């Protein structure tokens, strides 16, 4: 019913995660009516990103160079390797300013229901990276979801064979969290992993 | 921190309505990781829509031709002209299958707070369209928001001077609506505009 180029744009916008038919329609009309400049810039940015972004050969995240700046930085501790699921998780870790080691970005997780097994994740690449002789500890910072836990479990079993130290982020009550609003699973975990005060 | 083409894509995605920094980041990673084909198609669709879509000279909506198919259709009643704010509203009206007349799409509303006055709406174009000598009734189907009401009021005052019949969509309890869940403003309006049964 809508003219073809408009229908095409609405369909194409649906490739964005979380965008259904209604949102796609709203976005298309917004761009065409109120932000043609933004639409032009978006088209250009898509092309630019598709063409110019590589994967860092060491940490596997998006990079303009073959090895990203973080992996090249001499100010990073190369004995620590933190494994995260996505670049977004990496950014979250960086924002804490609590970690000075390096990263490996899985770009996914083991999720049999979606057909993502260990092979699809390319874990050989992670193994080669972790066994470079410099890394001493691998910190598994995958999500605490079923898939994230399974991924961490699988990776830790691979790494333990090789004699590397493997750790996982602590679980417990969030900083500033009120016990009243913490879910019982987290609270149970916080009980089990309680720490001695003034050790 | 992110490589420049990635940062550029994240920024560009924010021109979409309802997309903040977090969603833009998620969308960018999704496209680059999981849907490069979709990203290519989106870039092409944006270019195509920007280049090929015109405004219909009669109803003002997006069209591939100078006069859209609906305005050219001989099966439409040219004596009725329904004024809506946006192409989305037009689609909603069409889905009812209850209307066989023609449309005029304002592509906006009077909204002084946003700097949209009668001039920005291009109401002369609507006037010329409504006074073509064929239109007998103008149905104002702008939203029942403050801005939509103001727009309808303004247009009706312009049209009344010219001796055209002007109507507005009925307000009342929604079909299938339970009175318990209808807001009191709507209910009050439904009282005021009550109809005789078996007239």
């Amino acid at each position: 019913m809508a003219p073809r180029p408009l229908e095409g744009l609405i369909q194409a916008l649906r490739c964005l995660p979380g965008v259904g038919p209604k949102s796609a329609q709203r976005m298309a009309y917004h761009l065409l009516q109120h932000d043609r400049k933004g639409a032009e810039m978006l088209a250009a940015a898509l092309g630019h990103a598709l063409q110019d972004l590589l994967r860092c050969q060491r940490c596997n995240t998006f990079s303009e160079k073959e090895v990203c700046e973080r992996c090249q930085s001499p100010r990073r501790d190369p004995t620590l390797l933190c494994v995260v699921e996505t670049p977004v998780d990496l950014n979250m870790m960086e924002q804490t300013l609590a970690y000075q080691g390096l990263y490996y970005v899985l770009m996914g997780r083991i999720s049999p229901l979606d057909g993502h097994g260990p092979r699809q994740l390319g874990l050989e690449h992670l193994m080669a990276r972790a066994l470079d002789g410099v890394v001493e500890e691998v910190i598994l910072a995958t999500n605490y979801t079923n898939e994230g836990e399974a991924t961490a479990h699988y990776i830790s079993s691979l790494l333990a064979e090789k004699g590397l130290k493997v750790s996982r982020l602590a679980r417990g009550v969030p900083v500033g969290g009120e016990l009243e609003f913490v879910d019982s699973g987290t609270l149970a975990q916080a009980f089990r992993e309680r720490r001695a005060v003034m050790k």
Side-chain angles (χ1 to χ4, degrees), chain A residues 49-199:
Chain A
L50 286 171
Q51 195 166 26
D52 297 347
L53 283 179
L54 311 168
R55 293 292 184 86
C56 170
Q57 289 179 354
R58 284 174 61 79
C59 73
N60 199 36
T61 195
F62 296 112
S63 165
E64 275 184 289
K65 302 178 193 152
E66 298 213 331
V67 175
C68 74
E69 285 177 31
R70 190 178 295 111
C71 286
Q72 285 182 330
S73 166
R75 303 173 68 180
R76 291 283 179 160
D77 180 352
T79 64
L80 294 176
L81 187 69
C82 177
V83 178
V84 293
E85 292 183 19
T86 67
V88 179
D89 295 338
L90 187 156
N91 290 347
M92 296 304 291
M93 306 299 283
E94 283 293 278
Q95 279 167 28
T96 65
L97 304 177
Y99 178 68
Q100 285 298 318
L102 294 172
Y103 291 92
Y104 185 87
V105 183
L106 293 170
M107 293 289 187
R109 61 202 68 82
I110 293 176
S111 173
L113 289 179
D114 301 321
H116 299 305
R119 179 159 303 166
Q120 282 74 30
L121 266 186
L123 290 184
E124 323 80 58
H125 191 208
L126 165 60
M127 284 299 126
R129 175 71 187 85
L131 299 169
D132 67 349
V134 180
V135 172
E136 292 168 10
E137 178 176 354
V138 174
I139 302 164
L140 298 173
T142 54
N143 287 324
Y144 280 106
T145 56
N146 287 342
E147 289 91 350
E149 290 274 40
T151 308
H153 184 77
Y154 190 87
I155 296 173
S156 66
S157 67
L158 289 179
L159 289 171
E161 288 174 12
K162 311 288 183 177
L164 270 179
K165 186 175 167 193
V166 181
S167 58
R168 187 105 171 81
L169 291 187
R171 282 186 293 193
V173 179
V175 173
E178 294 185 66
L179 295 189
E180 185 181 346
F181 301 111
V182 173
D183 69 290
S184 57
T186 301
L187 219 47
Q189 196 68 31
F191 257 111
R192 259 177 256 130
E193 296 181 7
R194 65 190 178 277
R195 289 155 145 263
V197 182
M198 301 265 289
K199 195 159 63 169

